[in-house]
Structure formats: structure tokens, C-alpha cells
Amino acid sequence: QANEEVELHPEVSGKLMQILFKEGQRVNKGELLIKINDADLQAQLHKTELEKKLADDRIKRNDKLLGMKGISQEEFDVLKNAADVLNAERDVLMAQIAKTEIRAPFSGIIGLKTVSEGSFVSPQTRIATLQQTDPMKIDFSIPEKYAAFVKNGDEVITQALTFVATA
């Protein structure tokens, strides 16, 4: 049996823009496999980053005014809070964008895909399976009278395979 096996499903619904793997291909942990349309989220992120830049510029200008008592501490704190809110909005958008990507949770072999680029997918849609085949798990039975002779780490030899026994 595969050491690890998982069905790949998207976290969000949307149009499948890119399939970045070939069936039967070895993939590495963290490798981007699927990209779902995130154009609206990217636009919101860009807008938030522009607003954040403007807020940072206001903070710099008003910091000087605060030092000269040109504005109150409360007005300055409101500006800083607005910048902090924009940072939080950016973090939320980044998390939503990350949900439009499927990355390999571990290194292994990707199976047959069940969708094509341009498909609309949802969290119920199975994209493919991923199996970690190195190492493999082998499930076998031995007669009870020999159980006392086999322990973790023992080498077990069959006619076709050699492997290390683990509990």
C-alpha cells in the first residue's frame, strides 16, 4: 500500500485555469498542481495595497505634524488604525488567494485527473489522487507460532520482495 494517499479537492469553487501536472508524474511537497481563477481577488489585493501605501504616506506626513503638535494623538492613532485594518484586509485576501491553489501536501506520484482546464470545480470535485510510494506499506500475516520471532526492524524475505518489518 502507499505510505500516504490523498484525494485532491479544491477549497473554493471556481473556474479551473491551470493544471500544472501530468498524470503519473512525480511531484514534490509544496509544488503547485492546480490554479483556480482568482482575478477578482487579485484586483482587490491590488486595491488594498494601493490604499495601504497611501495610508503609510499619510502616517509619515502626520508623524511630523504630531511632533510639532499640529494634530492630536487621537487623529494620529486613527490613521495608524486605518493602516492596520488595511494590513488585516491584505492578509484575508492572501488567505483567500491561497485557497485558489492546490499544492502537493507531500511528495509522490499524481494519479489520473478527473477534470480539464476550463472546468468549473467545487470542494466536492475530486481533481486527482496523490500517492507516496516511497516507502511502501506491506500488510501481511504470519502464523501465530512464528509471531514471537518477528519484531520491528527485522528483515522479512519473500520469494519476490525484501522489506523491513514494522508494527
Side-chain angles (χ1 to χ4, degrees), residues 94-152:
M94 294 297 287
Q96 290 174 335
I97 289 169
K99 289 181 180 183
T100 65
E101 300 175 344
I102 298 178
R103 294 185 178 275
F106 50 83
S107 296
I109 305 290
I110 196 100
L112 299 175
K113 63 182 175 148
T114 60
V115 293
S116 298
E117 287 184 3
S119 300
F120 184 85
V121 295
S122 71
Q124 293 77 31
T125 307
R126 181 170 62 94
I127 304 295
T129 58
L130 177 63
Q131 295 182 335
Q132 184 184 57
T133 56
D134 185 18
M136 296 279 290
K137 294 178 184 175
I138 299 177
D139 188 12
F140 65 97
S141 301
I142 58 172
E144 188 175 338
K145 67 181 183 178
Y146 299 117
F149 300 107
V150 178
K151 56 190 172 298
N152 274 346

